[in-house]
Amino acid sequence: MTYKFIGKRIKRNEDPRLLTGQALFVDDVDIPGMLHVAFLRSDYAHARILSIDIEEARQRPGVVAIYTAEDMGDDWEPGPPLVSPPPTLEGVIFNSRRQAPLAKGKVFHAGEAVVAVVAESRYIAEDAVEDIWVDYESLPVVVDLEKAMESDSPLVHDDLDTNLAAHMFQKKGDYESAREQADLIIQKKFYLDRGAAVAMENRGIVAHWDEKSQHMTIWDTTQAPIPIRNGTAARLGLSEKQVRVIAPFLGGGFGPKAMMFYPEEMLLPWLSMKHCRPMKWIEDRRENFYATTSERQQVHEVEIALTKDGRVLGLSDDFLHDTGAFDPYGLTIPLNTQCHVTGPYDIQNIASNCTAVFTNKPIVTPVRGAGRPQGVFVIERMLDFAAKELGMDLLELRKKNLIPPDAFPYDKEIIDQAFAKFVMDSGNYLPVVEKAREMIGYDQFIKEEQPRLRAEGKYVGIGITPFIETTGVGPYEGARVQIEPTGKVNVATGIGTQGQGHFTSFAQIVSEQLGVAVSDVNLVSGDTAQFHWGTGTFASRGAVVAGSAVLAAATAVRSKVLKLASKVLEAPEEELEFENGTVRVADIPRQSISLGELAALANPLRGAVEPGSEPGLEATDYFGPAYGATAFGVHAMIIEIDPETMMIEFKRYITVEDCGTVLNPLILEGQIHGGVSMGIGNAYYEKMHFDESGQLLNASLADYLIVTAHEMPNRIEIGHMETRSPFNELGTKGVGEAGAIPVPACFTQALENAFQDFDLEILETPLSPNRLFELLQREEHEE
Amino acid sequence: MTKLFKLSLTVNGNPYERQIEPRLLLSDFLRHELGMTGTHVGCEHGVCGACTVLLNGDPVRSCLMFAVQAHGHEVLTVEGLGTIDDLHPIQQAFWEAHGLQCGFCTPGFLTTLVPFLEENPDPSEEEIRVAISGNLCRCTGYQHIVEAVQLAAEKMRA
């Protein structure tokens, strides 16, 4: 398909404001009379609150009010369950325990909000937090996942018999019989640990209740403004029309900002109503580590069954999933893990048993990747071990098991995070693998380059890893497109935006339909007053779901334009074309009219709008996919490790992506680069270190190291293949999380390859230079 | 109540006088007293570099400085670089090379790079990576930023 705007490297509409400091972020909101909120947070991971002494704090000049859970009276109630357990799964157990606006009686994780201070300034509010005394009785702490499930473990939630948050079992075929037919069975146990999202902007909220107009306006660093609007209205007993939630420019999201409802999101609007004054709370970085969600800790016991020629007959995976102290986000992450643990492979017999576990750690919700990197890590590790056992080339083993192109749509016969059947829409995997193999020079590296470098004493290794990414899940998004009399086009959609370039990629979709310059399309996203239906930006669904809604609305406007222009220009619709903001008769370009003039004609001040038609050139439409769109890709890297420092240099880094139709290659590249940088962090630098008392030992950016310009490969080389998704008209698939997903798996493979003399077997992620040193020492000692 | 300090300084070429508490951070002063919210605060402990401004031409972390320390000095923030209709060459290069995504860290990168490119009109890639090593970006993976700096250097040499 040839496009004029879609697929072009167009620089972004939103950038001039961002580049000049003129873009509005939540902390930039300043309203006269605004009060500031700070929280006293628990120092303990698990403790009973015996008493709270706020008297001294109350005396401090500038302090307006102080609230504990008790002070909220009947208004104290935990947040809503955001995602319910999968209704279509038989025998699923789900114990819903949700976070409260302020801890009552007991704290469940370090950093949980206990007291809220309202003051004339943030400085005073934070001073007053220091004046408060809380008497805690410390309780035994649940940190380790496996210990948490032992019968003598302390309990996170006293009213439950165990720390089981959820249990679900999904299967395809019959693993036991596959096992019986297998020539080779491999069992391994993997430990995966937690990382933080670390958006550069911390969270923040400004809530403004206007008593006279009986209206609430909330600026929130949320990826999902509409659910926040709906939930806030319900909590406060307001109509949804009385609440406007604005997610302005966000300084990165990466998942945790979609978590709704954070305690602060419940409290700030309530406080504003209580005091009839605007309230602001801005999270600091330390709070961000404790009070913002994070993820990735799982323990997998895996078994894979193969024939001797390398065909995978079945996979069994029994895993524990850390959900932290509460589980408001349901089973999204482990469902993703289940969908990705068989990856792009045609495996007919699967048994996946998931146990989600409560621990006294911060709440777990999706972080870029959202359970997918864990699944990919497990299957790719297993295939690496299988290739070794079988004496096969690890790429040949993978190629043997890829889902063939004629098998699509391919039904994995399990359900996905949206509770829909996990049907993979389309794909042609082998050419993507071959392209990556060629780009990295796989055969030549193994045969020539690596032996030569190893002879020079260098530790160089290669990794190459295919992966899938489920994207573009439902339920739906919507959009409204309107041509103004100025000829400019307004677009509104409900999803929020955190840097993904929606202002531009969605504009390109509109331009394609209406022939206007991309810079003449003005998008509003994430303001419930502009568009009030939708769910949010997560699960790599923006381009697929909201993009398709924008396309549908723009197409509807296009037909309205054609109808009117045909009348005005006295030419049949088929002879009209859109060009540069005008509609003209194809053979007689002089016979044309601008879109702006048509918009004015469509909204007349005299005469009548014909019955059955609507004024203006405007349309609203929706897109709700039955299934998601599954993207595919391969990452490949060549690394060199300094044996003294264990520091890594990326000599080459290749990604080949098939995300269907590419809307804007510039934006796509940016998404991949950023994803890879997070993936490298996840693989080798970033781990949240909790001690046995549930304290996070590296809760600052000085201790929790995200990659800088130095740790990155100098050049990420990107290749594209395109298999259009048949499930949406754009033919596109999401790519927002892809960059991060396969990196730990690929990196680990490359490390083992570099240390092949050591017989290193890596069963964990993330690693670190220290940890790699330890593993190598252990190998040496064992030898 | 703490005794207020009469602060006078120049920001983006304009003189300002304010009565402030001595403990007020320069970042908070710029953002909340002067309303120049282009300077962003990402960590409040001097690591991320988002709050970088120029003090008498040198990059400093405005979250690690008290506003009173800028008394009598000249501060340049992102608002002082270019305007939407007339971008500074570094801003223009970031736009063209897609050197930003969420844009939160961007003002700190821009202010770090102004003196760097003045002193190094033709930097190597390695020099660029060293120059921006004190600025964290979670969106871009830095590659497009490095390319933006190369493009900016080209524009500024022309």
Side-chain angles (χ1 to χ4, degrees), chain A residues 319-543:
Chain A
F319 70 105
L320 300 176
H321 166 75
D322 176 21
T323 190
F326 304 100
D327 56 359
Y329 220 91
L331 298 171
T332 299
I333 296 169
L335 280 166
N336 274 344
T337 304
Q338 290 186 318
C339 285
H340 288 73
V341 80
T342 55
Y345 306 110
D346 177 23
I347 302 176
Q348 288 300 323
N349 302 289
I350 307 161
S352 174
N353 194 37
C354 166
T355 306
V357 182
F358 287 120
T359 57
N360 291 117
K361 286 182 282 184
I363 306 169
V364 167
T365 74
V367 175
R368 195 177 206 168
R372 300 178 186 87
Q374 294 95 314
V376 172
F377 184 81
V378 167
I379 182 65
E380 295 304 321
R381 287 277 67 203
M382 291 307 281
L383 293 177
D384 289 345
F385 297 137
K388 206 167 174 183
E389 292 264 342
L390 293 166
M392 275 180 82
D393 174 73
L394 43 83
L395 210 44
E396 290 308 314
L397 173 67
R398 284 168 169 85
K399 279 162 62 177
K400 198 160 234 170
N401 289 287
L402 289 175
I403 297 169
D406 58 3
F408 293 98
Y410 182 93
D411 190 349
K412 286 259 182 184
E413 295 179 27
I414 60 174
I415 60 161
D416 69 9
Q417 62 158 310
F419 308 160
K421 270 168 65 175
F422 179 28
V423 176
M424 300 166 77
D425 58 320
S426 61
N428 187 7
Y429 295 166
L430 193 58
V432 181
V433 173
E434 291 299 355
K435 183 161 187 169
R437 174 189 204 139
E438 203 174 292
M439 281 174 73
I440 196 98
Y442 181 79
D443 302 274
Q444 194 253 344
F445 179 82
I446 300 251
K447 284 193 198 102
E448 297 161 29
E449 212 168 325
Q450 192 175 34
R452 180 175 57 78
L453 292 166
R454 286 169 61 84
E456 290 172 21
K458 291 192 168 150
Y459 291 90
V460 286
I462 190 166
I464 183 159
T465 309
F467 70 102
I468 55 165
E469 183 195 0
T470 57
T471 79
V473 295
Y476 77 97
E477 289 300 337
R480 186 180 64 248
V481 172
Q482 180 221 350
I483 302 174
E484 278 192 2
T486 57
K488 300 209 185 240
V489 182
N490 292 318
V491 184
T493 175
I495 66 167
T497 192
Q498 306 92 42
Q500 298 92 336
H502 296 147
F503 298 93
T504 312
S505 52
F506 292 173
Q508 289 172 259
I509 295 171
V510 172
S511 294
E512 196 67 51
Q513 292 302 313
L514 302 178
V516 294
V518 171
S519 56
D520 282 338
V521 181
N522 174 35
L523 178 91
V524 176
S525 82
D527 179 348
T528 62
Q530 297 276 337
F531 199 83
H532 64 276
W533 295 103
T535 38
T537 304
F538 50 83
S540 298
R541 64 196 291 281

Side-chain angles (χ1 to χ4, degrees), chain A residues 9 11-13 15-23 25 27-28 30 122-124 127 196-202 249-252 254 280 283-285 368 498-500 666-667 669-671 673-675 677-678 682 686 700-702 704 706-710 712-716, chain B residues 1 21 23-25 28-29 31-32 37-45 47-48 50 78-79 81-84 87 90-92 94-107 110 125-126 128-133 135-144 146-147 150:
Chain A
R9 294 177 79 88
K11 59 186 196 299
R12 303 194 315 170
N13 284 348
D15 286 357
R17 296 194 72 75
L18 290 164
L19 283 161
T20 50
Q22 305 300 317
F25 290 85
D27 191 26
D28 305 344
D30 188 18
R122 184 178 177 187
Y123 284 65
I124 295 170
D127 285 344
V198 194
M200 294 321 300
E201 175 202 39
N202 294 309
F249 279 99
L250 258 63
F254 310 115
K280 182 189 243 187
E283 187 181 57
D284 70 23
R285 185 53 66 178
R368 195 177 206 168
Q498 306 92 42
Q500 298 92 336
L666 196 60
I667 290 173
E669 284 167 20
Q671 286 292 314
H673 294 168
S677 77
M678 192 177 268
N682 288 159
E686 299 180 34
S700 83
L701 288 183
Y704 183 94
I706 72 169
V707 301
T708 73
H710 282 301
M712 285 299 289
N714 274 5
R715 206 56 75 236
I716 295 169
Chain B
M1 202 64 189
E21 278 194 60
R23 66 168 177 170
L24 184 68
L25 297 174
D28 286 340
F29 173 78
R31 292 180 47 77
H32 303 305
T37 53
T39 299
H40 295 153
V41 177
C43 72
E44 293 174 282
H45 53 267
V47 180
C48 78
V78 68
E79 287 93 342
L81 290 184
T83 62
I84 287 178
L87 295 175
I90 302 179
Q91 291 169 317
Q92 181 70 29
F94 265 67
W95 191 14
E96 289 172 17
H98 189 29
L100 66 156
Q101 289 181 31
C102 80
F104 193 80
C105 69
T106 312
L110 298 173
E125 171 160 353
E126 183 53 24
I128 294 170
R129 286 186 185 264
V130 170
I132 61 171
S133 62
N135 292 73
L136 297 179
C137 169
R138 193 59 154 169
C139 295
T140 65
Y142 307 99
Q143 185 169 319
H144 281 162
V146 171
E147 286 167 13
Q150 289 165 332

Side-chain angles (χ1 to χ4, degrees), chain A residues 593-613:
Chain A
I593 183 165
S594 75
L595 290 175
E597 288 171 90
L598 285 169
L601 289 174
N603 184 25
L605 289 171
R606 293 288 184 277
V609 171
E610 284 173 27
S613 67

Side-chain angles (χ1 to χ4, degrees), chain A residues 182-327:
Chain A
D183 301 313
L184 174 66
I185 287 171
I186 300 174
Q187 295 176 329
K188 295 287 174 197
K189 187 169 180 180
F190 299 103
Y191 290 89
L192 301 96
D193 217 328
R194 206 193 264 233
V198 194
M200 294 321 300
E201 175 202 39
N202 294 309
R203 289 185 299 122
I205 303 163
V206 176
H208 184 197
W209 170 251
D210 187 83
E211 181 67 18
K212 283 190 182 146
S213 65
Q214 293 284 297
H215 192 270
M216 175 77 79
T217 308
I218 299 168
W219 289 263
D220 187 0
T221 54
T222 180
Q223 296 171 227
I226 290 166
I228 291 293
R229 188 273 317 263
N230 299 349
T232 302
R235 287 184 73 86
L236 298 176
L238 299 171
S239 133
E240 289 179 2
K241 291 279 169 218
Q242 283 175 284
V243 182
R244 176 186 185 189
V245 175
I246 302 166
F249 279 99
L250 258 63
F254 310 115
K257 286 179 180 167
M259 186 264 189
M260 79 261 180
F261 270 84
Y262 278 104
E264 303 86 1
E265 282 171 319
M266 300 185 242
L267 257 178
L268 268 277
W270 181 82
L271 287 171
S272 180
M273 267 184 111
K274 196 102 186 147
H275 291 264
C276 292
R277 285 177 71 174
M279 293 276 167
K280 182 189 243 187
W281 167 75
I282 300 297
E283 187 181 57
D284 70 23
R285 185 53 66 178
R286 185 177 152 77
E287 288 180 295
N288 185 262
F289 276 102
Y290 277 107
T292 290
T293 57
S294 46
E295 71 140 319
R296 300 234 204 286
Q297 192 180 26
Q298 293 179 347
V299 178
H300 288 254
E301 291 189 71
V302 195
E303 191 177 282
I304 193 167
L306 303 104
T307 61
K308 57 178 176 294
D309 61 348
R311 184 87 185 96
V312 179
L313 296 177
L315 181 97
S316 154
D317 182 17
D318 192 353
F319 70 105
L320 300 176
H321 166 75
D322 176 21
T323 190
F326 304 100
D327 56 359

